[in-house]
Amino acid sequence: MTAAAASRPSRNPFAGVDRNRRDMIIVAALLVLVVVYPLLFRFLQANLGFVPWPDTSVLIVCATFGILALGLNIVMGFAGLLDLGYVAFYAIGAYTTAFLASPHFGIHISWWIVVWVAVGAAAVFGILLGAPTLKLRGDYLAIVTLGFGEIVPIVFRNLGDFTLALPAILGGAILIGPNANLTGGNIGINPIDPPTLPIPGPWGSEIVFSNQQPTFSLYLVVALLCLTFFICVRLRDSKLGRAWMAIREDETAAAAMGINTVTSKLLAFALGASFSGFAGAFTGAYNTAIFAESFRFQTSILIVVMIILGGIGSLRGVVIGAFAVQYVNLTFLAWAAQFVNPPINSLGDTTGIELLADFNLVNYNFLIFGVILAVMMVKRPEGLFPVETARAEMHGVGISSELTGGGDTELALAEESVFEAAPDLVDQGGDPTSTAGSALMADTPPDTIRDRDLPEDTR
Amino acid sequence: MAFSDRFLEARWTTVIVFSILILVLVFRPTGLLAEKASERA
């Protein structure tokens, strides 16, 4: 690792700077960028309009999914539990907010309180899902979580119009209903009270964090993202975080070493779910409306794509993955479509092929993510900004020097191109104290690590 | 027409199906007719 870092000194603008200090500089720069971005966007749009700049509302969605990706990263990246139904907790957080802060039930509790209720509700459901599935691993766990992720949005949709009655044999008395409306069904719950702060200014008598005032909403969601990120960093370095990583690597061995795997896995589910509830509470209040349609299986998959793309287990990576995927999804494809669509459509018109005549690049977003993932699994399975242990596991220790020496030039070239694309971000060298396995790796000859059996769970 | 439609409306079918799947996997992780129970890895 140190040898690899030393071999690229010239391209790293932070060479020789203390890592913590460098991270602080990067974070501060990013925060300043966020603060000025709503103003900067108008300037960029006017003067450099040929580049598809994301507008503020796109950045808000990006940051929301950053929170979701960080939460899923706890479950999948740290504890190694494959969760394909993560969107369920997002829905639970959003609906909790809608129940407690909307005219739907006539309850209007301040969002600043409701958000913690939503976090708690999501955590409770995380434990409810986690407890019965403790003995399941790998693909079996994936199926159960997938089923849970399918059930929850459908239940929320169906509870818009339902009647709970005793069976006819017991008298058929109606317990709830008839035709009770708990969740608004397909119409959803609209409106929801947005978060407000009683600070008067040019914007009115109070700040409203809704999509009517995207600038303030951006500041709020970035603050929430920073809070989530900070908690995740502390969790990763905590005793619990190291227990999760030990479970991820080998659950049986972790249990034999005295780790309470039951508590650790339940906490992973609960904490992962609570961040999802956090994001859900913000989304519901920011959009001032929620619909069961927005919590489909696709959304779960999108979050999984984000963390795999960014580098599973890497906090920096999954946030960048979330921003990248949502930026492509919401801004880039629409921008690229105006160049790609017309020639394909006219080709379809002349040849009479309907598929081409109706072609719209935006509708092919999941195909594009699928291709990107497939290519990534071949070229860079550990993600764009991986943690050091994942990279070492996939390629052998000391990535660039080892690989060029090892003769696998294709992978080395892929490495190099990414280093060139974002040298300051990729050249982290990893945090040796952050991961459970790195101390072990440092003392093990590279060949042993490369040849050992990799764990078969989803890394 | 799904069997559960006799008791519940058809829009609940997916919920019933996945609930049964989850319950089976939780209580009989090796499947309904597994010869011997071993921990699924």
Side-chain angles (χ1 to χ4, degrees), chain A residues 260-273:
Chain A
N260 187 339
T261 58
V262 172
T263 320
S264 304
K265 283 163 81 173
L266 278 182
L267 276 172
F269 268 114
L271 285 165

Side-chain angles (χ1 to χ4, degrees), chain A residues 18-63:
Chain A
D18 176 54
R19 184 179 291 138
N20 287 332
R21 202 167 157 196
R22 185 203 58 187
D23 288 351
M24 295 264 281
I25 294 170
I26 293 176
V27 167
L30 285 175
L31 284 181
V32 170
L33 183 66
V34 164
V35 170
V36 301
Y37 191 81
L39 283 174
L40 189 67
F41 172 68
R42 275 183 218 145
F43 171 80
L44 291 170
Q45 192 79 323
N47 296 300
L48 295 161
F50 53 88
V51 180
W53 302 102
D55 67 15
T56 310
S57 63
V58 169
L59 279 191
I60 291 170
V61 177
C62 288

Side-chain angles (χ1 to χ4, degrees), chain A residues 97-114 189-194 196:
Chain A
T97 311
F99 291 155
L100 296 179
S102 77
H104 186 67
F105 290 141
I107 305 172
H108 296 277
I109 302 173
S110 164
W111 185 84
W112 307 103
I113 299 165
V114 168
I189 296 178
N190 186 4
I192 299 171
D193 308 341
T196 54

Side-chain angles (χ1 to χ4, degrees), chain A residues 264-353:
Chain A
S264 304
K265 283 163 81 173
L266 278 182
L267 276 172
F269 268 114
L271 285 165
S274 58
F275 287 124
S276 192
F278 207 40
F282 172 79
T283 314
Y286 160 70
N287 289 321
T288 65
I290 46 168
F291 310 97
E293 272 299 289
S294 37
F295 305 107
R296 281 172 303 178
F297 177 60
Q298 284 187 353
T299 314
S300 289
I301 294 301
L302 204 61
I303 307 168
V304 174
V305 169
M306 288 168 182
I307 71 172
I308 291 179
L309 193 73
I312 195 162
S314 156
L315 298 176
R316 179 188 64 239
V318 298
V319 174
I320 296 172
F323 273 74
V325 168
Q326 280 299 9
Y327 168 71
V328 170
N329 207 7
L330 297 174
T331 300
F332 183 79
L333 282 184
W335 173 80
Q338 58 181 324
F339 306 109
V340 177
N341 287 353
I344 295 182
N345 290 348
S346 61
L347 181 72
D349 288 336
T350 50
T351 55
I353 302 172

Side-chain angles (χ1 to χ4, degrees), chain A residues 129 132-133 135-140 143-144 146-148 150-151 154-155 157-163 252, chain B residues 8-23 25-31 39-41:
Chain A
L129 174 67
T133 55
K135 57 187 170 184
L136 300 175
R137 293 184 192 174
D139 20 5
Y140 283 76
I143 294 169
V144 170
L146 185 150
F148 186 73
E150 281 289 301
I151 288 173
I154 296 176
V155 166
R157 196 191 64 205
N158 288 353
L159 288 185
D161 174 17
F162 78 111
T163 308
T252 316
Chain B
L8 275 171
E9 294 151 76
R11 58 196 175 124
W12 291 97
T13 305
T14 320
V15 175
I16 303 286
V17 169
F18 277 108
S19 304
I20 292 171
L21 176 72
I22 291 178
L23 289 175
L25 280 176
V26 166
F27 290 106
R28 299 217 29 120
T30 49
E39 197 171 78
R40 291 280 99 187

Side-chain angles (χ1 to χ4, degrees), chain A residues 364-376:
Chain A
Y364 286 77
N365 53 350
F366 274 88
L367 181 114
I368 292 165
F369 294 139
V371 170
I372 292 174
L373 266 195
V375 172
M376 286 249 324

